[in-house]
Amino acid sequence: MKKLLLLLAVIPCLFFCNDSKRKNLKWEYPDENAEIKIFSTKTIDDKELISQLEEDFKKGKFIIDSKEDGKEKSFSNCNDNLILKIKGDGIRRYYVKRTEAKPKNYYPDFMVWIFEFDTEDEAEEVKEEIQEAFDSGNGFCNGKTPHYLVRYKNKFVLLGTRAHMFMDYPKEYAEKIKNYH
């Protein structure tokens, strides 16, 4: 009986007393001393990308329900106490929804954000910094929403959904965008 009690006392310590795993966790959002890094977009021209996506959306029984031009979108990097802002006329958001229920009585939907930059290298750099922000705070710094990031030419595309059960749809279209030429 004493061995069992000793074992019950030691096992939790193995899980909770290991500081090497816990000391690097940072859950706080950027504070008032956070550095702000700004990325500037150029005027967006996403007709080519959207026409390719619309063909694939049609095959998957999805439509673009609405589109909005944006001027700014922010992301937080909790690990580096950093706020990343994307500003300019090169921001557009599309709301995409399925026209037929799947699974039964559910109409999957997701968002597609497109950010356009001067060069492919700049788009890739911003994509990598935003991915780092999404990974910060153990992946919770910018919320728990499933998201996928992909670069298409000089554009950085963010796809995400509010419902975890629909996460395969933005993932599928992110993979398609990777294969566009």
Side-chain angles (χ1 to χ4, degrees):
M1 182 70 163
K2 289 182 182 179
K3 288 182 182 179
L4 180 61
L5 288 175
L6 181 61
L7 187 60
L8 289 173
V10 171
I11 289 178
C13 190
L14 293 173
F15 292 105
F16 298 110
C17 297
N18 188 349
D19 283 346
S20 66
K21 287 183 181 176
R22 294 189 176 271
K23 67 182 174 186
N24 291 330
L25 300 182
K26 191 169 183 183
W27 293 92
E28 299 85 27
Y29 289 101
D31 60 23
E32 65 276 354
N33 299 317
E35 178 187 344
I36 298 174
K37 189 170 186 178
I38 298 173
F39 301 99
S40 297
T41 62
K42 70 177 236 169
T43 303
I44 196 160
D45 178 12
D46 60 354
K47 291 179 185 116
E48 178 185 326
L49 174 59
I50 291 302
S51 68
Q52 291 181 71
L53 273 171
E54 283 182 318
E55 287 179 34
D56 285 328
F57 289 158
K58 188 175 181 179
K59 293 174 191 171
K61 302 198 184 329
F62 280 92
I63 59 165
I64 294 175
D65 189 58
S66 66
K67 93 176 179 182
E68 251 179 52
D69 289 333
K71 295 290 183 193
E72 182 177 315
K73 180 92 171 130
S74 296
F75 303 92
S76 299
N77 183 325
C78 293
N79 294 354
D80 298 333
N81 199 28
L82 180 65
I83 297 171
L84 304 169
K85 289 187 178 188
I86 303 176
K87 291 183 166 191
D89 293 329
I91 303 171
R92 188 162 289 148
R93 180 193 63 85
Y94 293 91
Y95 173 66
V96 180
K97 70 177 188 178
R98 190 165 164 92
T99 57
E100 293 180 14
K102 184 178 182 179
K104 189 177 181 181
N105 298 323
Y106 290 100
Y107 291 84
D109 63 345
F110 59 94
M111 306 294 267
V112 177
W113 286 88
I114 301 173
F115 306 92
E116 185 157 340
F117 298 92
D118 287 325
T119 66
E120 291 184 16
D121 289 339
E122 186 179 5
E124 183 65 27
E125 175 190 333
V126 174
K127 180 183 91 63
E128 288 173 6
E129 290 221 31
I130 301 302
Q131 183 62 60
E132 189 176 320
F134 273 119
D135 294 340
S136 71
N138 289 340
F140 294 108
C141 191
N142 290 281
K144 299 185 295 184
T145 304
H147 62 274
Y148 302 92
L149 302 128
V150 64
R151 187 181 56 79
Y152 173 77
K153 297 184 179 180
N154 65 330
K155 296 164 184 58
F156 149 57
V157 183
L158 166 65
L159 299 96
T161 182
R162 297 169 294 189
H164 194 66
M165 68 188 280
F166 300 144
M167 67 187 258
D168 289 340
Y169 297 104
K171 180 180 181 181
E172 173 187 343
Y173 289 101
E175 289 300 318
K176 288 179 187 284
I177 291 170
K178 285 181 186 176
N179 294 315
Y180 293 163
H181 300 285

